[in-house]
Amino acid sequence: MAFISSGYDPENPMKDRITDIGPRNYEEFYPPVIKNNKGKWLYHEVLQPGVLVHVSETGDEVYTVRVGGARLMSISLVREICEIADKHCGGYVRWTTRNNVEFMVDSKDKVQPLIDDLQGRKFAGGSYKFPVGGTGAGITNIIHTQGWIHCHTPATDASGPVKSVMDEVFEDFQNMRLPAHLRISLACCLNMCGAVHCSDIAILGYHRKPPMVDHEYLDKMCEIPLAIASCPTAAIKPKKVEVGGKTVNSVEVNQSRCMFCGNCYTMCPCLPLADKEGDGIVLMVGGKVSNRISAPKFSKVAVAFIPNEPPRWPKTAETIKKIVETYAADANKYERLGEWAERIGWERFFEKTGLEFTHHLIDDFRDPAYYTWRQTSQFKF
């Protein structure tokens, strides 16, 4: 009866419903050719790097031109994308989960004029605004987190290293010479709102020092129980501290238990974690989400630490380029990077890539659940 008294009629649920709250139905934004052929697609092909065709059982075709975008875009760039969509695609455009932009047309004769228009648009420095590529056995956009621009706990930047690395591997964005597709991701701290746990090559920002404690202001600015409760490893405990001849309430950090996650700083600004010497980058390799050929894999640490080197992060970019080139030259067709490393052995992986192996890289994870829980749809009776 509560529903009835509030005006809701279960027999007529749409009556008097307010429909302008929340997002509109995504089906409203389908291009007509996709809406008319939903559930009827027979196959698709990659015609050239960055260009795909999907063919329907009705005979209809849709051609997709994929271009590299960015996670952080200016309003003027978004307006230019919309202008291109209006000009060539009937106003329809979409973004992929890796920050690529896809323009779709319904006939082959519209593809080349669209590509010519995209390739003709450049920034003042001469680089492409809308480089075509990112499909098939190549490298697509690096998915990344927020870094120094928006986040308050990063150990490295996001946009800076991503731009630097993509400049190094840009040729592989525009071609499909690799044995299989290769995914690179970046997370700027261990909290990892990126996909570094399961990428072929992963860039991870890493703190190496515990948070500093500003005893003088902590009790004035923070709720101490909240700061203590925020720690996932119980590394923080309350402590009385002498400051300027007065005893104040504060906290103490057990450094051996701290995992440098920054959760405490989220709750209490008097526990800052950022440190010029302590912060840097860890490179991980061999992960994948795909269930093809072998089960999904977690990434493994390959380089334990690289210092932050803004603005171009030369050591990080050079190391990733070296891994990509070695993989391209040595892996079998269709092998993902982790599958290649497991086939030749991780010892050989380090030899071939020229990476130093240290005790920091020893994988001592022994959770039985990792081996006993069903992790994949691949199985045998």
Side-chain angles (χ1 to χ4, degrees):
M1 293 303 295
F3 290 117
I4 302 299
S5 61
S6 65
Y8 175 75
D9 181 2
E11 300 297 327
N12 189 9
M14 298 303 293
K15 182 182 178 182
D16 299 327
R17 180 175 177 178
I18 301 174
T19 58
D20 61 348
I21 297 175
R24 289 164 60 181
N25 189 325
Y26 59 87
E27 292 193 359
E28 295 180 35
F29 305 100
Y30 283 154
V33 64
I34 291 180
K35 189 169 187 177
N36 296 336
N37 290 278
K38 188 170 181 178
K40 301 175 184 178
W41 299 106
L42 289 177
Y43 65 92
H44 73 276
E45 296 178 0
V46 181
L47 301 179
Q48 65 187 64
V51 181
L52 303 94
V53 59
H54 288 74
V55 180
S56 168
E57 62 187 29
T58 65
D60 288 345
E61 297 176 334
V62 61
Y63 292 84
T64 302
V65 178
R66 177 181 293 181
V67 303
R71 178 173 176 177
L72 303 174
M73 287 186 173
S74 66
I75 292 297
S76 59
L77 189 67
V78 174
R79 284 177 175 158
E80 188 168 354
I81 291 170
C82 294
E83 173 213 319
I84 296 169
D86 286 337
K87 182 178 178 182
H88 295 277
C89 314
Y92 294 95
V93 64
R94 78 182 201 100
W95 272 254
T96 74
T97 55
R98 299 194 75 90
N99 307 316
N100 296 296
V101 185
E102 292 189 342
F103 299 95
M104 292 159 288
V105 293
D106 55 9
S107 67
K108 191 171 184 178
D109 57 1
K110 297 179 182 178
V111 174
Q112 197 57 48
L114 170 59
I115 293 175
D116 293 341
D117 189 0
L118 292 167
Q119 299 286 55
R121 297 175 186 249
K122 295 187 177 182
F123 289 108
S127 61
Y128 291 109
K129 282 186 177 181
F130 307 107
V132 177
T135 57
I139 295 175
T140 188
N141 254 343
I142 300 178
I143 191 168
H144 65 87
T145 54
Q146 307 197 57
W148 292 335
I149 290 181
H150 284 162
C151 189
H152 68 288
T153 58
T156 189
D157 190 25
S159 302
V162 164
K163 166 65 174 166
S164 304
V165 171
M166 281 302 292
D167 283 349
E168 283 292 322
V169 300
F170 182 64
E171 288 183 4
D172 285 314
F173 178 85
Q174 293 193 304
N175 63 48
M176 299 187 293
R177 72 177 179 111
L178 299 180
H181 59 267
L182 189 144
R183 300 290 176 258
I184 305 176
S185 65
L186 182 147
C188 45
C189 80
L190 279 170
N191 288 325
M192 200 183 72
C193 47
V196 296
H197 66 296
C198 58
S199 294
D200 295 285
I201 299 176
I203 307 163
L204 172 64
Y206 186 60
H207 296 288
R208 296 188 299 172
K209 294 184 179 181
M212 296 169 278
V213 184
D214 188 347
H215 295 294
E216 184 176 359
Y217 293 101
L218 191 141
D219 192 27
K220 301 171 185 174
M221 298 179 66
C222 309
E223 295 184 24
I224 291 178
L226 194 61
I228 294 170
S230 71
C231 181
T233 60
I236 303 175
K237 63 181 180 180
K239 185 180 182 180
K240 299 280 187 181
V241 180
E242 292 289 329
V243 177
K246 294 195 315 182
T247 301
V248 298
N249 295 323
S250 188
V251 299
E252 181 180 44
V253 178
N254 182 343
Q255 296 193 19
S256 64
R257 295 184 69 94
C258 179
M259 61 181 280
F260 322 123
C261 68
N263 279 1
C264 56
Y265 180 58
T266 302
M267 296 293 105
C268 177
C270 292
L271 293 167
L273 195 64
D275 181 86
K276 183 178 179 181
E277 284 74 34
D279 294 353
I281 284 173
V282 171
L283 294 184
M284 304 170 72
V285 300
K288 72 184 186 90
V289 176
S290 167
N291 206 31
R292 188 182 61 84
I293 297 180
S294 63
K297 302 176 187 298
F298 283 127
S299 309
K300 298 178 183 294
V301 177
V303 180
F305 190 78
I306 301 174
N308 282 320
E309 301 170 300
R312 295 296 300 172
W313 278 266
K315 181 67 173 177
T316 299
E318 174 194 334
T319 305
I320 290 176
K321 179 68 171 176
K322 186 190 303 181
I323 295 172
V324 171
E325 290 299 329
T326 308
Y327 163 69
D330 197 62
N332 294 332
K333 191 171 178 63
Y334 303 123
E335 265 187 334
R336 294 289 290 269
L337 193 147
E339 293 165 343
W340 162 65
E342 289 184 355
R343 177 175 60 82
I344 66 174
W346 284 97
E347 296 88 350
R348 293 285 290 154
F349 167 83
F350 282 95
E351 288 176 15
K352 286 177 177 289
T353 55
L355 300 178
E356 180 186 5
F357 186 88
T358 71
H359 72 279
H360 299 288
L361 310 182
I362 296 174
D363 186 355
D364 59 355
F365 185 68
R366 291 292 181 268
D367 184 355
Y370 181 77
Y371 302 103
T372 57
W373 287 356
R374 185 175 298 284
Q375 308 164 67
T376 168
S377 61
Q378 297 180 345
F379 64 95
K380 295 178 181 178
F381 287 105

